[in-house]
């Protein structure tokens, strides 16, 4: 048995065990970080749309405060169905159409996941199923990695004195 173990380089088992332990320990946080980064991008896009909408509302409120004639004329036509004296409108929407919704004038649509933003694509492969999936995969990989690491250190031919 000693001759068989002397033929195998212990450093190779040590590296394989350390790599296996690193994969088992670091894969779940990496997957969580990846999903959190995607969620952050979605929230940034939503915040940008909301900031644009808030800017539109602020400009509209400033136009109302400053008695902007264009805004007042538009409000008079849509809400009161009144035209300014001496002016003939080029196009007046039919009464059954929704023309009086100021929120629709100022609204900025929120980005749609899958259309405006890429949908989250979780990584599904054997390694992730073994490490984070159901079943005994993670404990088994931890034990195998630890045994390989310990075996690489203990059965290294250079670490044992020759008799």
């Amino acid at each position: 048995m000693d001759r068989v173990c002397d033929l195998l380089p212990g450093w190779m088992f040590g590296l394989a065990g350390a790599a296996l332990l690193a994969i088992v320990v670091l894969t779940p946080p990496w997957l969580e970080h990846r999903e959190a980064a995607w969620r952050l991008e979605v929230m940034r896009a939503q915040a940008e749309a909301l900031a644009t909408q808030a800017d539109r509302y602020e400009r509209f409120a400033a136009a109302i405060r400053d008695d902007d004639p264009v805004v007042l004329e538009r409000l008079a036509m849509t809400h009161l169905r009144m035209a300014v004296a001496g002016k003939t409108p080029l196009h007046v929407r039919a009464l059954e159409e929704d023309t009086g919704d100021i929120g629709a004038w100022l609204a900025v649509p929120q980005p749609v996941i899958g259309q405006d933003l890429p949908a989250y694509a979780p990584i599904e492969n054997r390694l992730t199923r073994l490490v984070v999936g159901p079943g005994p995969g993670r404990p088994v990989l931890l034990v195998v990695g630890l045994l390989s690491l310990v075996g690489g250190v203990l059965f290294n031919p250079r670490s044992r004195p020759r008799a």
Side-chain angles (χ1 to χ4, degrees):
M1 180 70 174
D2 287 339
R3 288 185 176 180
V4 173
C5 288
D6 285 344
L7 294 176
L8 300 173
W11 61 268
M12 192 180 293
F13 282 102
L15 284 178
L20 193 57
L21 287 174
I23 288 171
V24 170
V25 170
L26 296 177
T27 298
W30 171 66
L31 292 173
E32 289 174 7
H33 175 268
R34 193 170 171 275
E35 183 178 357
W38 174 78
R39 288 183 188 272
L40 179 65
E41 289 302 315
V42 169
M43 284 189 269
R44 281 185 180 153
Q46 290 171 343
E48 184 178 321
L50 289 174
T52 303
Q53 184 170 344
D55 181 54
R56 285 185 182 180
Y57 272 92
E58 287 297 322
R59 287 188 289 138
F60 182 75
I64 294 290
R65 277 191 307 271
D66 296 340
D67 291 332
D68 185 357
V70 175
V71 173
L72 293 178
E73 182 179 340
R74 186 169 183 185
L75 286 172
M77 289 192 64
T78 57
H79 288 285
L80 303 175
R81 304 281 186 226
M82 298 174 70
V84 178
K87 289 189 176 184
T88 305
L90 295 177
H91 174 66
V92 177
R93 290 181 168 180
L95 291 176
E96 59 271 359
E97 289 187 36
D98 186 18
T99 59
D101 187 13
I102 296 174
W105 298 349
L106 304 174
V108 175
Q110 287 289 316
V112 178
I113 297 173
Q115 182 180 359
D116 301 325
L117 297 169
Y120 177 68
I123 296 177
E124 293 289 333
N125 56 28
R126 286 186 184 149
L127 179 66
T128 58
R129 282 193 302 273
L130 276 173
V131 173
V132 296
R138 185 178 173 92
V140 169
L141 287 175
L142 281 171
V143 168
V144 169
L146 190 60
L147 287 177
S148 295
L149 186 63
V150 169
V153 171
L154 292 180
F155 295 115
N156 191 354
R158 293 184 187 135
S159 66
R160 289 183 295 173
R162 297 261 181 195

